[in-house]
């Protein structure tokens, strides 16, 4: 038989809507207290009904969140916030990440997925939930394979300023170079381009480069570099008079020399310096051509060293 309703709320609370109806919306304040209501019609007011409401303060936003801001894909990590006794913590992570332990506590273990995203957490006391705090996390993967190295194939002992470089490697934060024995990086360490000095005792070998980041090292690229003894003008002229062909070679390797003086020692070695074949030739007429059977050598890169009174020649050839 009620035609309207009369509501009261504690000090600090505000009735937003519904006064005179059977349901009200209230913006609560900071003080606990009673909500009361009476039913009204032309005959008067009903007895009072009341509900005691206890105010629980909203928890403070938890944090700060401790944990890594960059992760490798598919790796575990731990995230945490300072603990407040009596609070329950609810964590969320990106869809392809998994909370493996700790949900409801101040610290969780996560197996991260492929994608970057946010780790978020709220604190709850009773029915009251705090605002969320979040930490952004980026992802990295192992760098891609290094491409071909640019730089000289042949250098002289005791020379400097030789530049080797590779195109930028995807996902690399730094670069690792290795050099033959006796060579030194003088500039560019950790970058995609280096300047190298080859000392007086430098030997032939491989220059390699690979990309690195916190997830590891990507596949390396390698370039064989021949280190020659370049004593002076006479030896430079001698090297200019030597020809080796064909290159690549399948069976017989030819070498021709103009204006040779005295006997000639010929040595074939691999790029690591191991002698595989050697022979001494008697004095040869100018323009002579000699052949070496390399058919027993496996596929790869080799060095031919020719040494006589006129100087030293070191040439690189490949067997296919």
């Amino acid at each position: 038989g009620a035609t309207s309703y009369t509501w009261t709320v504690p000090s600090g609370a505000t009735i937003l809507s519904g006064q005179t109806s059977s349901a009200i919306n209230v913006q609560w304040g900071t003080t606990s207290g009673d909500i009361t209501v009476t039913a009204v019609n032309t005959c008067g007011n009903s007895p009072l009904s009341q509900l005691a409401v206890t105010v629980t303060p909203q928890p403070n936003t938890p944090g700060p969140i401790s944990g890594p801001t960059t992760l490798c894909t598919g790796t575990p990590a731990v995230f945490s916030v300072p603990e407040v006794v009596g609070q329950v913590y609810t964590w969320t992570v990106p869809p392809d990440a998994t909370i493996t332990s700790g949900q409801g506590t101040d610290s969780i273990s996560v197996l991260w997925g492929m994608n970057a995203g946010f780790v978020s957490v709220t604190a709850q006391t009773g029915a009251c939930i705090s605002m969320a705090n979040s930490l952004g996390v980026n992802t990295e993967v192992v760098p891609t394979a290094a491409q071909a190295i640019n730089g000289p194939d042949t250098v002289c002992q005791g020379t400097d300023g030789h530049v080797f470089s590779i195109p930028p490697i995807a996902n690399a934060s730094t670069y690792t170079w290795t050099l033959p024995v006796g060579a030194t990086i003088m500039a560019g360490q950790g970058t995609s381009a280096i300047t190298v000095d080859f000392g007086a005792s430098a030997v032939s070998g491989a220059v390699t480069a690979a990309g690195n980041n916190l997830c590891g090292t990507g596949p390396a690229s390698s370039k064989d570099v021949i280190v020659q003894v370049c004593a002076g003008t006479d030896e430079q002229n001698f090297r200019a008079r030597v020809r080796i062909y064909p290159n690549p070679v399948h069976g017989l390797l030819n070498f021709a020399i103009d204006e040779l003086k005295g006997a000639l020692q010929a040595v074939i070695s691999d790029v690591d310096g191991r002698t595989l074949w050697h022979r001494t030739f008697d004095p040869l007429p100018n323009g002579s051509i000699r052949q070496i059977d390399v058919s027993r050598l496996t596929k790869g890169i080799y060095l031919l060293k020719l040494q006589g009174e006129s100087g030293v020649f070191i040439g690189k050839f490949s067997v296919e």
Side-chain angles (χ1 to χ4, degrees), residues 78-129:
V78 174
F79 299 90
S80 63
V81 292
E83 182 183 13
V84 176
V85 176
Q87 290 187 345
V88 176
Y89 299 89
T90 301
W91 297 83
T92 59
V93 294
D96 63 345
T98 303
I99 298 174
T100 56
S101 65
Q103 182 66 281
T105 72
D106 60 298
S107 179
I108 58 169
S109 296
V110 177
L111 182 62
W112 203 259
M114 296 291 294
N115 301 312
F118 290 91
V119 174
S120 299
V121 61
T122 59
Q124 183 171 351
T125 302
C128 298
I129 301 174

Side-chain angles (χ1 to χ4, degrees), residues 164-203:
F164 296 88
S165 65
I166 55 172
I169 300 174
N171 306 313
S173 56
T174 186
Y175 295 78
T176 297
W177 293 85
T178 63
L179 303 175
V181 174
T184 305
I185 296 175
M186 303 307 295
Q189 180 68 277
T191 71
S192 61
I194 57 172
T195 301
V196 179
D197 291 356
F198 287 85
S201 61
V203 298

Side-chain angles (χ1 to χ4, degrees), residues 55-66:
V55 173
T56 301
Q58 184 182 38
N60 293 327
T61 302
I65 299 175
S66 298

Side-chain angles (χ1 to χ4, degrees), residues 127-144:
C128 298
I129 301 174
S130 73
M131 300 291 289
N133 195 6
S134 298
L135 178 69
V137 179
N138 294 314
T139 57
E140 283 194 359
V141 295
V142 174
T144 58

